[in-house]
Amino acid sequence: MFDAAIASAQPALCVPPYLPSPESVGTGRLIVIGAGKASAAMARAVEDHWTGPLSGLVVTRYGYSVPCQHIEIVEAAHPVPDAAGLAAAQRMLEVVQGLAPNDVVLCLISGGGSSLLPLPLEGLTLEHKQAVNRALLKSGATISEMNCVRRHLSAIKGGRLAVACHPARVVTLLLSDVPGDDPINIASGPTVADPTGCEDALAIVKRYGIELPSEVLSVLESGRGESIKPGDPRLARNQVRMVAAPQIALEAAASVAREAGYGAYILGDALEGEARDVGKVLAGIALQVAERGQPVQAPCVLLSGGETTVTVRGNGNGGRNVECLLAMGIALGGHPRIHALAGDTDGVDGVAEVAGAHLGPDTLARAHAMGMKPNDYLNNNDGHGFFGQLGDSVVTGPTLTNVNDFRAVLIDKA
């Protein structure tokens, strides 16, 4: 099921149907730009299906590069940005300078683009952006809240990249990794209008007690970080097309389950909340199915997506998917008929090169036999440490796509 979810969102499959036609470009140039974990694979899909001339630049995560002939691929750091991402963002703005009204900019955006385009507003530095990212990642804020703060400190996000392309037409192809699939939250919306303001970003900072450098707070408090708003005439000719999303991946997984004789039920493609709390809730639902036959009958699979959060209190090696799965396993107590997998479809859960892990009826017993205390690992945010020692990690390598978290709970019949 996990493989099917990832395969359904491969750019080679989902990008070509949404490309602009050569007739719509006419005598103008096609310039390709983009950012995200899937952007290089998206660029390759464009090259493989475009017959006319093109050029451009996209930035992706280290290890996620795909060879292209006409579009330059740059690698940079994620989730904490680095100088390579900063330089790539600066060059991207240069690439789209001086375009004509009949030119078309094809912008390829996927999850991870926020960190890969860390161009700060005037008065801020890369170090400021790095400090903000680290603070946000530990705060427990949702992805939409994190991206709201990022947009108001950026010289390229929140519609600013699209404005730099004006007067050319911009066609944005989006591969969604966010709950709700709102374009403004995918890579912090570099080519779409932003309805939020600096006051919203400040409210998020205060809500989570996030400590930020004084220079950063000054940008938000003064209003200097305001982004491009809906109705801006410079965005009037822009188009946005969603090419893949979490719901599509979950439906692909559901088909695999049904072919194997299991009922498949999608609980939601946009579940949010503390990862450990979501894990406990999923365990409670699974136990009700297994023991009561409610609300559905086993054998079945419960599928869900979205993006949970982790408020970091320990110093372990963790990620939101393994944290969710570990909490789920503790709550299930080794139930003999329940199995589960949780993983990030981009192949990286947290900062580890591990997609997630799988859980079985014997997981807790094996851990106890090794002298491991599951609650200690959970309290230390050390999900990767726990599942890694058991040999239950799921390692995919770079998947070249990103449609967010994938969770499957399989319940066998008695």
Side-chain angles (χ1 to χ4, degrees), residues 19-398:
L19 292 175
S21 66
E23 293 75 21
S24 69
V25 176
T27 59
R29 294 176 294 167
L30 181 68
I31 311 297
V32 179
I33 57 175
K37 297 173 188 175
S39 64
M42 294 174 81
R44 178 61 179 267
V46 173
E47 286 200 349
D48 288 345
H49 292 83
W50 187 259
T51 55
L54 54 78
S55 61
L57 168 73
V58 304
V59 55
T60 192
R61 188 182 191 271
Y62 288 119
Y64 282 60
S65 179
V66 175
C68 291
Q69 289 187 328
H70 307 289
I71 302 167
E72 182 182 354
I73 309 297
V74 175
E75 292 184 317
H78 177 279
V80 178
D82 67 357
L86 175 63
Q90 291 170 327
R91 288 187 53 211
M92 196 171 292
L93 290 180
E94 294 168 2
V95 164
V96 299
Q97 290 300 305
L99 298 181
N102 63 335
D103 292 328
V104 175
V105 176
L106 183 63
C107 191
L108 310 174
I109 297 296
S110 59
S114 292
S115 299
L116 296 167
L117 291 176
L119 187 63
L121 284 171
E122 186 175 352
L124 300 180
T125 66
L126 175 62
E127 289 71 25
H128 288 136
K129 296 300 290 287
Q130 290 170 330
V132 169
N133 261 32
R134 290 191 183 100
L136 288 170
L137 289 167
K138 292 181 178 181
S139 69
T142 67
I143 187 62
S144 61
E145 290 171 329
M146 285 193 246
N147 285 346
C148 178
V149 175
R150 289 162 167 164
R151 284 195 297 274
H152 294 94
L153 302 173
S154 174
I156 197 168
K157 304 183 185 86
R160 295 178 180 89
L161 179 57
V163 166
C165 298
H166 184 74
R169 181 163 63 95
V170 178
V171 177
T172 302
L173 303 188
L174 294 174
L175 207 152
S176 175
D177 72 323
V178 298
D181 305 328
D182 188 342
I184 195 59
N185 285 324
I186 304 171
S188 299
T191 61
V192 296
D194 178 20
T196 66
C198 284
E199 68 276 8
D200 298 302
L202 269 175
I204 292 164
V205 171
K206 294 176 181 176
R207 184 180 310 145
Y208 291 95
I210 301 171
E211 294 186 8
L212 297 178
S214 58
E215 296 91 341
V216 173
L217 283 174
S218 175
V219 167
L220 298 178
E221 291 170 346
S222 67
R224 288 193 293 117
E226 277 307 339
S227 48
I228 309 304
K229 301 304 175 205
D232 192 299
R234 294 169 293 182
L235 305 184
R237 299 176 64 216
N238 292 4
Q239 294 177 305
V240 176
R241 301 170 181 174
M242 190 74 64
V243 304
Q247 177 67 18
I248 296 170
L250 294 175
E251 289 173 356
S255 295
V256 172
R258 293 182 184 119
E259 288 171 8
Y262 287 76
Y265 304 94
I266 297 175
L267 303 181
D269 69 340
L271 302 190
E272 296 183 87
E274 277 288 329
R276 63 181 64 194
D277 294 337
V278 172
K280 292 176 186 176
V281 170
L282 291 176
I285 296 171
L287 289 170
Q288 187 73 4
V289 171
E291 297 301 321
R292 306 289 188 187
Q294 297 171 332
V296 296
Q297 296 281 332
C300 66
V301 174
L302 309 178
L303 296 162
S304 63
E307 183 160 341
T308 60
T309 53
V310 175
T311 302
V312 178
R313 298 181 177 90
N315 57 7
N317 182 14
R320 58 183 184 260
N321 286 286
V322 287
E323 178 125 341
C324 176
L325 193 67
L326 180 52
M328 189 192 311
I330 293 170
L332 288 173
H335 192 283
R337 292 184 283 111
I338 301 177
H339 306 253
L341 182 148
D344 198 317
T345 54
D346 65 10
V348 179
D349 185 32
V351 296
E353 301 297 316
V354 179
H358 61 85
L359 175 81
D362 65 340
T363 299
L364 293 185
R366 289 188 291 121
H368 293 146
M370 295 172 63
M372 300 165 63
K373 297 179 179 179
N375 276 300
D376 288 351
Y377 282 85
L378 182 62
N379 292 333
N380 196 36
N381 304 116
D382 195 19
H384 285 307
F386 180 82
F387 290 109
Q389 287 190 61
L390 292 173
D392 291 345
S393 298
V394 174
V395 181
T396 62

